[in-house]
Amino acid sequence: MIAYDKGFTTDAIDQPNIIGELDSKIIQTIKNQLNENDCFINTTWIQLDTDLKQTIRLSLEQGKRLICYSGADWNNKFSHEEENTERILEFKRTWQFIEGSGCEVVHIGNSRGKHYFSFWLEFIAQHKKNFKTYNVWDFDTPLKTYMCLNRKPHRHRRELFNCLKNNNLLEYGYVSLGDVENPVLLDADIVNAPGDNAVSGNVGITNDITSLGHNANWNNHFLNIVSETTTYTDVFITEKTFKPIIGERPFVILGDNNIYKQLKEWGFDTFDDVFGTGYENPNYKERMDWIVETVARFKDDTHLHLLLEDLKPRLQYNSNQLTTAIQINRKALQTCIK
């Protein structure tokens, strides 16, 4: 079988790479579904190099279709980010080459439709026991209004942080923002060694992908603001979105346009009656404004613990529904080519 596979490695410097290990298993699950007329292409950090050009040339000569997989990272074919950085331009050139190759192209993974599945939901399934290691209802009052944790300082995360800051809302939440030189840190935090070993680059904040973080921080906040990795691709959902579901907190999400659609298809409660449906706005900056307005609306509420208790049945429903979502997602992965 022809393949172009340059993604996560399975080994870190001094211990296994937990992202790469699962990615390898998922890729094998996909390859087991392919036939002789398929060519597997791992789109993680894809670039228009000699190997990719040769792979596609051979695929065209042999009449193969291109099975383009995106899993642990987003599918950059769908990127319409306004920034024309060299990285984004390279992605665009690469996809123009693939789409113009004359081969049939099938997108699986982070592409909404019949070939969709979530790498990170399967990752949660593999590490679920590590997340909830304490009673998430053991909280003090008054609660912080919100939590908004940001490791990599992507543009939309910097904008969200600045918007919270400019509206004098930082003091009402647990807020962090990674930066190589001047990260904004929490007063108390954890270190997630397996997560740190799975990625490169240091932005001053641990890569916490297998826990809810510092228990006192988690327990003593009301609203979880999820700042997802992207706002401009199709539907990339990471462990960040699943944390408030596992940790039984209401949430609002700044991410791709289709995230809420997918969560509802999995059966999750998205608390529209409490926070509204500002996530429906196609412009991410207006979705960001909705989130900031939501924080401002609740910031002076001294009874958030009572509201949290009122929401407890719905939050526990979400936590339980995660098992069903994992089963749905796993079946989608196992039949993603059909």
Side-chain angles (χ1 to χ4, degrees):
M1 179 181 64
I2 299 176
Y4 176 90
D5 189 1
K6 299 181 179 181
F8 282 90
T9 61
T10 56
D11 293 321
I13 295 174
D14 56 357
Q15 62 178 291
N17 183 320
I18 58 176
I19 297 177
E21 286 183 334
L22 178 59
D23 201 39
S24 179
K25 292 177 182 178
I26 286 178
I27 288 172
Q28 190 57 53
T29 299
I30 295 167
K31 287 181 176 179
N32 289 342
Q33 300 174 52
L34 303 183
N35 59 48
E36 61 182 12
N37 293 320
D38 294 327
C39 168
F40 176 81
I41 295 181
N42 187 344
T43 70
T44 304
W45 313 313
I46 195 170
Q47 55 183 319
L48 193 54
D49 57 17
T50 301
D51 290 339
L52 181 61
K53 292 178 180 179
Q54 177 73 353
T55 298
I56 293 178
R57 184 185 66 79
L58 289 174
S59 297
L60 181 61
E61 290 177 355
Q62 299 177 25
K64 296 184 182 295
R65 63 176 182 169
L66 307 179
I67 307 300
C68 297
Y69 160 67
S70 61
D73 224 324
W74 41 276
N75 187 342
N76 44 58
K77 173 192 183 294
F78 296 95
S79 173
H80 53 268
E81 188 175 23
E82 293 88 344
E83 285 183 307
N84 282 322
T85 63
E86 184 55 38
R87 182 169 181 256
I88 295 296
L89 291 173
E90 175 65 16
F91 286 154
K92 290 179 178 179
R93 286 191 291 266
T94 301
W95 282 110
Q96 287 171 355
F97 181 83
I98 292 173
E99 298 289 348
S101 66
C103 297
E104 178 185 356
V105 181
V106 177
H107 296 280
I108 62 174
N110 302 314
S111 305
R112 188 165 164 79
K114 66 178 181 178
H115 303 297
Y116 174 78
F117 62 86
S118 169
F119 169 95
W120 287 102
L121 183 49
E122 181 59 25
F123 182 90
I124 289 292
Q126 299 290 326
H127 298 277
K128 187 177 177 183
K129 69 179 186 301
N130 297 322
F131 281 85
K132 195 180 292 184
T133 58
Y134 49 82
N135 177 11
V136 297
W137 290 93
D138 181 19
F139 53 74
D140 298 323
T141 56
L143 296 176
K144 286 276 193 179
T145 305
Y146 70 100
M147 171 182 283
C148 181
L149 306 186
N150 306 275
R151 180 176 169 268
K152 283 190 175 181
H154 298 311
R155 184 182 62 178
H156 63 281
R157 291 175 177 168
R158 297 193 306 270
E159 290 175 344
L160 176 58
F161 175 87
N162 288 331
C163 199
L164 290 166
K165 181 179 179 180
N166 292 338
N167 283 275
N168 300 312
L169 296 173
L170 292 182
E171 65 181 283
Y172 296 94
Y174 295 106
V175 187
S176 65
L177 180 65
D179 184 81
V180 174
E181 297 181 354
N182 297 298
V184 177
L185 304 175
L186 302 174
D187 291 337
D189 206 352
I190 67 166
V191 174
N192 189 317
D196 290 338
N197 275 275
V199 294
S200 60
N202 180 16
V203 293
I205 295 176
T206 196
N207 184 37
D208 185 14
I209 54 176
T210 58
S211 85
L212 297 178
H214 194 279
N215 65 324
N217 297 342
W218 186 268
N219 281 7
N220 296 318
H221 85 283
F222 168 67
L223 174 66
N224 196 268
I225 299 176
V226 179
S227 54
E228 264 296 357
T229 303
T230 63
T231 61
Y232 49 82
T233 65
D234 194 18
V235 54
F236 186 48
I237 303 177
T238 72
E239 87 292 340
K240 303 173 189 66
T241 291
F242 298 113
K243 285 187 179 185
I245 291 172
I246 297 171
E248 299 177 16
R249 289 296 183 273
F251 57 84
V252 290
I253 305 171
L254 180 63
D256 289 335
N257 286 335
N258 291 319
I259 285 183
Y260 275 81
K261 293 177 184 177
Q262 187 58 49
L263 290 178
K264 290 181 178 183
E265 285 190 14
W266 281 327
F268 291 118
D269 186 338
T270 57
F271 311 101
D272 295 3
D273 57 320
V274 182
F275 306 119
T277 57
Y279 57 80
E280 294 178 342
N281 197 299
N283 185 300
Y284 85 90
K285 291 189 177 182
E286 295 194 26
R287 299 200 300 273
M288 182 175 64
D289 289 340
W290 160 67
I291 290 173
V292 173
E293 290 167 2
T294 299
V295 173
R297 181 157 57 93
F298 285 95
K299 70 179 177 65
D300 295 321
D301 191 332
T302 58
H303 301 290
L304 289 176
H305 60 292
L306 298 180
L307 178 54
L308 192 61
E309 289 283 1
D310 286 343
L311 293 173
K312 188 172 183 178
R314 296 167 64 177
L315 295 166
Q316 292 181 330
Y317 162 82
N318 267 0
S319 182
N320 293 330
Q321 183 65 16
L322 186 65
T323 299
T324 300
I326 287 171
Q327 293 170 347
I328 294 171
N329 187 65
R330 189 166 288 170
K331 182 177 180 181
L333 166 61
Q334 292 168 346
T335 59
C336 62
I337 306 300
K338 295 180 180 179

